[in-house]
Structure formats: structure tokens, C-alpha cells
Amino acid sequence: MSAVRWLIKCGAGAAIVLIACGFATVRFGGGLQMPAATTRDGTLVTLSRYLREPVPDIVLVGSSITFRLKEEYFATPGLRNLALAGGSPVTGLEIVAKQPRLPGVILVEANVLARPTDAALVKRYSRGDIEPLFFRPVRAAVAAYEQRLHAPLTHEQVALDLRRLVGQPPGDFDNRVYVNHALQQFNAEDPTDVVQFNAKRVEELIRLVEQRGARVLLFELPYAEPIEGSRFAATTREIVHAAFPDSKRWLPIEVNRSELRWADGVHLDERSAVIVTQAMERALALARTGK
Amino acid sequence: MTFTSWQFGVFVAIVFAAYYLPALRAFQVQLLVFASLFFYGYGQPELLALLAVAVFGTYLFLVLALRNRQVWLPVGIAFNLALLAFFKYKLLFIDPASPSLVDFAPLDFLLKLPLPIGISFFVFHNISLLVDLTRQKATPPTLTGVFLYIIFFPQLVSGPITRAEMFMPQIKPKYFADIAFVEAAKWILTGFFFKLYVSNNLNEMTSYISFPLYETLQTQDRWLLVFLYSYQIYADFLGYSAIAIGLGLLFGYRLPINFNLPYISTSFSEFWTRWHISLSTWLRTYLYVPLGGNRHGVWRTYLNLMIVMGLGGLWHGAGLGYLMWGLLHGLLLVLERPLLARLASIDFAVFRAARMTVVFVCVTMLWIFFKLPNFDHAVGYLAGMFTPTTNPNPTKLFYSLALLYSLPVMIQHLGFRPLFEGRLRWAEPYLYGSMAALMYLEAGAETSFIYFQF
């Protein structure tokens, strides 16, 4: 076989696969939910879904700490959690603020403000062209398989399990090794400059979205006791409260701390996440009726 | 400029077009040297001077050694090893973040220079040049020829490590009509496919092997990830080597094959004839044999194996983990050596498969020291493979994705190649076309080649 013929056949093979995937994307593209093999993937799935579906009433933006508050834990309808595992609340807030329509209430986590905004992600989700030209055939096949096995749950489906979970005693997992690692990291660097910068940006974004009719409330999720006293947590708390001194700007989360447990001192375990979610819902109901 | 960037594509297209212009045929070597300097300087222009010092220095010692090998060959080798040692192992003794390391400004500047990309590879080229050409008592090659051998851009950063006696005779005028287009296309497509589809996708999962992320893994996932890393590092390095070989062919140079289905090896000595072949060949030729090889009795042979593998480990980096990795491979070679003849005499399929499994599992476990050069982290990871996890929120991995992204490595090792060279020959171009489409559609997040750090 001559080199030219070989290369033409090779090109034809590539073209056939590309065309097939292009047609499949046109046919199924809008409904595909790619599996989140990594935290980055999870971010893309969450954000793509937010842009594709109708604007919800309430949106949470945050980091991996808020990511643990699963949407199905909330009884409140029309709530969407846009927290980015490994990301910053400011990234989520930027993306929400850049959309043509805003949710009624935006809840912004104030725990992790030392990470820079993911400018590439903001740019990508500010253009509106979220549908790719071709889907990823392997990921799409796995997505279909995973969705068949584990379809997204609704609150009604899990309500009974959640009640049972909260009724159980707190977990006895020994997390000391993980807390020590986390504490080292939380004491390693001085976050002052970045947190001040991000707090200022949050202030600007709040002003922008509130001018357009949305309401913004800040919230702080509890850490394990040793982490609360770390340099990172203490500095962030001090700067954010100085920037937002009005108590009405905050969603109070009132829980019995002795009931809470953390996998690593930072991220709540499942039972604790449900308890915190319920406390947030109570506070949110009060905040909305009292506005 | 990495092989997977669009800038590299443009660069290769321009150099290729100019290279075969009849008007420039007399300057092909000079053009490739210039292009290689541009390629190297694109990422680290401040280190071009170092590259020049290495090449000019080696050329000078080559000319002198051709007159008096006994004196100047050791000096030339020492010069290159000193370069390697200075840049690679200085971090054992200094903290580059310090504002001032020494009072002498020029030395302070040198100490703060980053690790030159590919230094481990071009230093080995230099030594090969000195040894091979002085052994042959050849006439001194041209300076541009020496430059091309050392800095030829496809192999400059991560090999394959080409021996001078193989490369230098290939330096002659090249013609467009002589290009092995199909062979080059197969190598390049294979390389990009293994890098973009296999390695980059698996990297999204194996990044959890890093400390402290691995603390979040379930016990069975620690095992899974080690095997995935085994596939990833193979796909990544095979990918680079294949692209280099394909690019070499486009410019009329045949570079040595670096991998030959290493995970079907039935012994550790066979593994080293199939994995990073150009490095193991180099170490055998220029280190193991000069040390005496197997010519001075059993115990001296064992010692030589341990020295060669230990230094081979340290060649990758200044870390206890790399040293351990090399020494443990050396130990495995020593342990199997007395048994090899007896094992080879037992020739039936199940036993061969069992031997393959043992070699693959051992090699795979040792990659932990490679992935985690910090010895404490590596031991921590290993310990976690044998203790049940209690983390209530472990990282979730998609086993189906892991399988689908590893599949090309598995299929390749099952040995279907003869099928595509025989009955299914007609389907071969379509298969490569599908691989091209798949690597575009399904490419994982961009990561640099693992061997770039060496």
C-alpha cells in the first residue's frame, strides 16, 4: 500500500469516528452528564448543569467544605449547590454574577477565601457556549452506565435515611492523623493578603448582584476545635467579619457542636453535614420571612 | 515547548518544510542544530549557555582524546559527570530559596539556575560520543555534527539515549522521497495516543497517590492506583519515545526503540531489556561492562549489578526514593540470577504466566518509590496498602474509567500486532485513524511528560 493511500485511509478512519461523535453530540449532547472522575470534572458537571437548567431560587457557592452539603440533604425546593471542591467561593460567585438571570438568594461560604479565583473557569462559563462540538465517547459511555446504576437522588427519596442517620449517635472515627495534617497546612502560610483581596472582590460582587435584585447571605461552616484556632481560620474570620460587620448579612448556623464530627477536622462527615444543612434551612426560612 | 502543544506542531511544520527545500539541502544539519537550539531555548533561554558549554567542552575533549585517549577520555567524562552532579545534586546541599547562597556572585548565579531540562540525557550522549569515537579512533567529526548528535530536538529532552556509533553515521544529506511516512505516522500517532488518551487520563486518578491526598484513599484503591500508575508511566514514556522516533524518521534519522512490551517480561533481567532500553543499554555498555560485568566471579557480578542499578536510580534524581528504587531492582536482579537457568528450563504456559505476574507485580510495587521520591511518603503509602481504611469519606474512583483508559496498554501487551501485520492488514490505517480521533476527543487534562523532570 502506498504511503498516500495509507494516510488517506487513516484520515478517513479518524473522520468516521469524529462524524459519529458529532452526530451523537447533536442527538444526546444536551442531556449528557459526564461522570466526575476528578474534582475538576465534578466542577464542570455542576456548572454545566447550572447553566443548562432553569435558574433556581437559592444557590450556594463555596469550597470543598460546602461541597459536602449535598443537594438532596436540603428539603427546600429549588436549591442548587455550586460549591467547587478544590475551588474558591469567589469563583462560584463570579460565575453566578455573570449570568443573565440571577437566583433569589445566594449563600456564600466565608471559610475558604485564600484561594485565587479560577479565571479560566469563570471565562469558560461566562461565554454561554458550554456544549462541546463532540462529546467524549468513553466518558459518555461510563456516564450512561453510572447514571443507570446511581441516578441522582431527590430529598424525598433519602428523607427517611437522613432521619435515621441523624438519629444515630455521632461517629467515633479517629481523625487525629488527618487533623494534624490539616492543622499543619492551616498554620503554614499567612493568608492575610489573599483573603483581604478576595473579601473586597466579594463585596463588589455582592453590590453588583444586589443591584440586580438578588439577596446575598454569608455563612461560616464549623471546623473541628483545633482547626478553629489555626492561623488560616482565625485570620480569615477576622478579615471577613471586619469587611461584613452587619449581622443581617450573615446566615447564623446554630448547631450543637458536640454532635458534629469531621473526617479530617475540616470537612464534615455525612451525619454532621445533614445536621448543619437542617440548621441552615431553619435560619434561611427565618431570614426569608423576616426580610 | 512540549510535544503536545500547538506551538510545537507549528515549529515542526516550519522546520520540516525548510529542511527539504532543495536550496537548503547543503545546510540541513545546521538547520536542525538551529531548530534544536530554538526548541531548547524556548523554555529555558538562560540555559542555552550551559548547553553550549557542554557541547563545546565535549567537542574539545573529543579532539584531545582522539590524540591521547588515556589522558583526555577520563577528563572528558569527568567534565560531563561534574556538570550532571552540579545541577542535579546541588539541591541536596543548598536551599535555592535563600536570598544569597555564597558571597561569590557568579557562583551564586550558577547555584540558583534551575535544573536544565534533559541534562541527564544530553550528558549521557556526550559520554557516549567520547567513548565510541575514541574507541573507533575515528577522524574528529564536524562541530555541527557533534551539536546535532547531542541536541537533536526530538531526543534532546527525554531520549531515547542514542549511541554515537549509531547516530553519527546517519549524518548525511536527506531526501524527501526517502521519508518513511507511514512508519513515522504510526510512531507519532501511537505516541500521542498513549500520552493523551492513556497517560493524561490516568494521571487524573493517579494524582491521588501524592501526599497527603493518598490519606483519603480506600485500601483497595491504593492497590488499584499503583497498577494504574504502572500503566501510566509506561504510556507516558512510551508516548514520548514513540513521538521522538517518529519525528526522527521525518528528518531522516532512525532513533533506537525504547520499549518492547516490558510488562510481559518473565524475569527482571528480561524486563530491563524491554523497559527504557536505551538507558539500560547505555548503563550496560558504559558502566556495567567497564566495572567488569560478570567476568570476575559471582559476588563481583552481584556487586556490579547493585552499583549499576543504584546509580541508575540516582540518575533519575537526588532522592532516597530513587536510590531505593534502583537498589531494589538491583536486589531483584541479584536474587533471580542463580535461578534463571532452572526457571528457563520449565517451559509451559501457566508457569510462564505466573512468572510474568510476579515480575509485573514487583515492578509495579517499586514504582511507588518513583512516584513518591520522599521515602517517608512512599513507606506511608505502602503501609496503607496493607491496613484497612477507616476514613468515612474516601475518594471515589470510577473503576470503569480506570479500565477503559488502561485498556490500550493491556491490549498492546496481549500481542495483537501480528494480526494487524497479517490477516487484518487492511484495517491498520483505520485503526490508527480511530486512535487519532480518540486522542483528540478523549484527551485527558494537559500534564507534562513524567520524564521531563529528569
Side-chain angles (χ1 to χ4, degrees):
Chain A
M1 196 184 309
S2 77
V4 175
R5 281 182 65 192
W6 192 96
L7 290 170
I8 288 172
K9 286 182 179 179
C10 180
I16 290 166
V17 175
L18 286 174
I19 290 167
C21 285
F23 275 122
T25 309
V26 173
R27 173 73 180 79
F28 305 109
L32 279 174
Q33 281 285 301
M34 295 293 147
T38 62
T39 51
R40 177 79 180 174
D41 271 0
T43 299
L44 301 185
V45 169
T46 309
L47 293 173
S48 298
R49 190 170 142 232
Y50 178 73
L51 264 62
R52 198 169 47 236
E53 294 182 358
V55 179
D57 297 332
I58 303 164
V59 160
L60 278 85
V61 292
S63 67
S64 58
I65 304 174
T66 303
F67 187 78
R68 300 292 171 109
L69 310 178
K70 302 260 179 347
E71 286 173 9
E72 64 265 25
Y73 296 171
F74 289 88
T76 311
L79 179 143
R80 181 63 43 81
N81 185 351
L82 290 191
L84 309 173
S88 159
V90 191
T91 304
L93 187 55
E94 291 265 11
I95 291 170
V96 171
K98 285 195 158 58
Q99 303 311 312
R101 291 191 57 216
L102 295 175
V105 178
I106 304 170
L107 303 178
V108 181
E109 176 211 298
N111 294 68
V112 179
L113 286 177
R115 290 183 185 147
T117 307
D118 187 337
L121 206 62
V122 174
K123 191 176 166 196
R124 173 173 177 164
Y125 284 94
S126 303
R127 291 196 305 256
D129 54 342
I130 54 161
E131 288 303 335
L133 196 55
F134 303 105
F135 73 17
R136 304 177 67 169
V138 172
R139 293 263 164 130
V142 174
Y145 171 74
E146 289 291 334
Q147 274 195 321
R148 206 180 144 143
L149 285 185
H150 316 286
L153 298 167
T154 63
H155 180 75
E156 288 68 33
Q157 286 172 306
V158 296
L160 199 64
D161 291 337
L162 296 181
R163 264 202 298 279
R164 201 175 299 136
L165 183 66
V166 173
Q168 289 173 2
D172 57 358
F173 169 61
D174 182 2
N175 67 355
R176 274 175 299 183
V177 178
Y178 305 102
V179 172
N180 288 338
H181 280 319
L183 196 55
Q184 273 176 12
Q185 285 181 334
F186 272 49
N187 281 327
E189 286 174 25
D190 181 3
T192 305
D193 291 346
V194 193
V195 175
Q196 277 176 341
F197 178 83
N198 279 332
K200 204 163 175 208
R201 182 63 188 149
V202 169
E203 233 177 316
E204 289 165 6
L205 288 167
I206 288 177
R207 199 169 45 249
L208 284 173
V209 294
E210 290 195 333
Q211 278 170 1
R212 293 169 58 197
R215 185 177 180 200
V216 179
L217 292 169
L218 304 172
F219 66 93
E220 281 173 310
L221 292 176
Y223 292 124
E225 210 54 62
I227 303 289
E228 290 284 11
S230 66
R231 176 153 75 159
F232 176 88
T235 308
T236 305
R237 197 164 43 238
E238 190 184 322
I239 293 170
V240 177
H241 280 276
F244 303 100
D246 183 358
S247 64
K248 286 185 190 146
R249 173 64 72 197
W250 290 86
L251 185 76
I253 300 176
E254 287 166 7
V255 287
N256 179 359
R257 284 187 65 99
S258 67
E259 285 289 307
L260 301 184
R261 297 289 183 275
W262 294 261
D264 52 6
V266 179
H267 301 93
L268 293 159
D269 72 4
E270 192 179 7
R271 178 177 176 277
S272 309
V274 176
I275 291 172
V276 166
T277 303
Q278 291 170 346
M280 287 177 78
E281 286 197 296
R282 287 193 297 273
L284 192 58
L286 281 175
R288 294 179 90 182
T289 51
K291 74 177 175 182
Chain B
M1 190 166 21
T2 67
F3 280 4
T4 51
S5 66
W6 66 266
Q7 292 94 333
F8 184 75
V10 173
F11 164 78
V12 170
I14 292 170
V15 177
F16 181 77
Y19 187 72
Y20 287 105
L21 284 177
L24 292 179
R25 181 157 303 130
F27 305 100
Q28 281 177 326
V29 175
Q30 288 86 342
L31 178 70
L32 277 187
V33 169
F34 177 74
S36 300
L37 286 171
F38 176 81
F39 170 77
Y40 194 78
Y42 191 85
Q44 292 183 306
E46 71 274 23
L47 290 171
L48 274 174
L50 167 81
L51 193 64
V53 166
V55 178
F56 282 121
T58 302
Y59 185 72
L60 175 69
F61 288 120
L62 173 66
V63 172
L64 292 170
L66 282 167
R67 290 178 196 160
N68 187 343
R69 189 174 199 256
Q70 215 166 4
V71 173
W72 292 108
L73 178 65
V75 178
I77 292 174
F79 164 74
N80 276 288
L81 290 179
L83 272 182
L84 183 65
F86 177 80
F87 282 99
K88 201 130 190 176
Y89 307 113
K90 66 182 179 185
L91 295 179
L92 287 175
F93 309 103
I94 58 158
D95 175 14
S98 306
S100 179
L101 298 167
V102 287
D103 288 338
F104 187 50
L107 184 59
D108 194 61
F109 171 76
L110 280 175
L111 285 170
K112 284 185 176 164
L113 279 176
L115 176 71
I117 293 173
I119 187 167
S120 311
F121 291 89
F122 67 71
V123 159
F124 273 23
H125 277 143
N126 294 356
I127 293 173
S128 174
L129 184 84
L130 288 165
V131 175
D132 287 0
L133 295 196
T134 54
R135 190 164 44 203
Q136 293 167 357
K137 296 189 172 61
T139 48
T142 61
L143 182 60
T144 47
V146 169
F147 252 105
L148 181 62
Y149 164 64
I150 296 170
I151 69 168
F152 184 37
F153 72 86
Q155 63 175 16
L156 173 60
V157 176
S158 298
I161 301 165
T162 314
R163 292 176 57 184
E165 62 185 11
M166 178 193 173
F167 189 90
M168 299 303 283
Q170 297 187 58
I171 301 178
K172 53 190 175 192
K174 308 289 180 186
Y175 298 90
F176 188 80
D178 295 337
I179 301 172
F181 269 116
V182 173
E183 195 185 350
K186 283 187 202 174
W187 278 114
I188 291 171
L189 288 174
T190 302
F192 277 113
F193 178 74
F194 273 85
K195 172 60 182 164
L196 297 174
Y197 177 86
V198 181
S199 174
N200 283 2
N201 278 310
L202 288 181
N203 184 62
E204 294 184 11
M205 299 180 202
T206 59
S207 56
Y208 282 100
I209 296 180
S210 311
F211 177 83
L213 280 177
Y214 68 62
E215 301 280 10
T216 64
L217 294 170
Q218 299 179 85
T219 305
Q220 71 264 29
D221 288 347
R222 288 192 187 216
W223 281 92
L224 172 72
L225 287 184
V226 173
F227 282 92
L228 292 186
Y229 185 69
S230 196
Y231 292 134
Q232 183 201 343
I233 193 168
Y234 168 71
D236 198 273
F237 201 13
L238 166 75
Y240 183 92
S241 302
I243 296 168
I245 291 170
L247 290 173
L249 287 172
L250 285 183
F251 292 98
Y253 290 89
R254 197 165 280 277
L255 303 178
I257 290 170
N258 227 4
F259 293 91
N260 180 20
L261 307 179
Y263 293 149
I264 59 165
S265 306
T266 54
S267 67
F268 298 102
S269 50
E270 186 187 353
F271 175 78
W272 283 105
T273 62
R274 291 172 173 273
W275 176 274
H276 202 172
I277 299 167
S278 63
L279 175 67
S280 43
T281 307
W282 195 98
L283 289 173
R284 188 170 60 241
T285 310
Y286 302 108
L287 190 58
Y288 180 67
V289 172
L291 280 173
N294 58 2
R295 300 189 304 273
H296 300 292
V298 175
W299 294 104
R300 180 64 189 274
T301 304
Y302 294 163
L303 179 67
N304 289 343
L305 283 172
M306 293 300 288
I307 291 172
V308 169
M309 295 312 291
L311 290 176
L314 278 180
W315 173 82
H316 289 88
L320 188 56
Y322 291 122
L323 179 64
M324 279 301 294
W325 174 78
L327 289 176
L328 287 170
H329 265 287
L331 185 65
L332 290 170
L333 288 170
V334 167
L335 290 176
E336 76 164 6
R337 201 171 171 85
L339 307 172
L340 272 178
R342 205 174 306 162
L343 291 172
S345 66
I346 308 169
D347 187 27
F348 65 95
V350 177
F351 188 67
R352 264 204 313 278
R355 287 180 63 188
M356 270 181 212
T357 308
V358 170
V359 172
F360 176 58
V361 170
C362 289
V363 166
T364 296
M365 294 295 279
L366 292 185
W367 287 131
I368 294 172
F369 292 98
F370 212 82
K371 174 73 175 166
L372 296 166
N374 181 309
F375 189 67
D376 293 337
H377 295 168
V379 171
Y381 189 93
L382 261 169
M385 292 172 76
F386 298 95
T387 45
T389 178
T390 48
N391 186 346
N393 290 309
T395 297
K396 178 175 168 52
L397 297 175
F398 286 87
Y399 298 154
S400 42
L401 275 183
L403 173 69
L404 289 167
Y405 291 140
S406 309
L407 216 49
V409 178
M410 297 180 194
I411 291 173
Q412 191 198 32
H413 278 74
L414 287 175
F416 287 116
R417 185 182 289 175
L419 203 60
F420 284 99
E421 286 167 355
R423 211 149 43 91
L424 292 179
R425 194 179 179 82
W426 62 270
E428 189 192 65
Y430 300 107
L431 174 73
Y432 279 94
S434 307
M435 281 163 54
L438 210 52
M439 77 195 182
Y440 166 70
L441 294 167
E442 201 69 44
E446 174 79 26
T447 51
S448 56
F449 286 91
I450 294 172
Y451 263 70
F452 264 29
Q453 61 188 303
F454 307 132

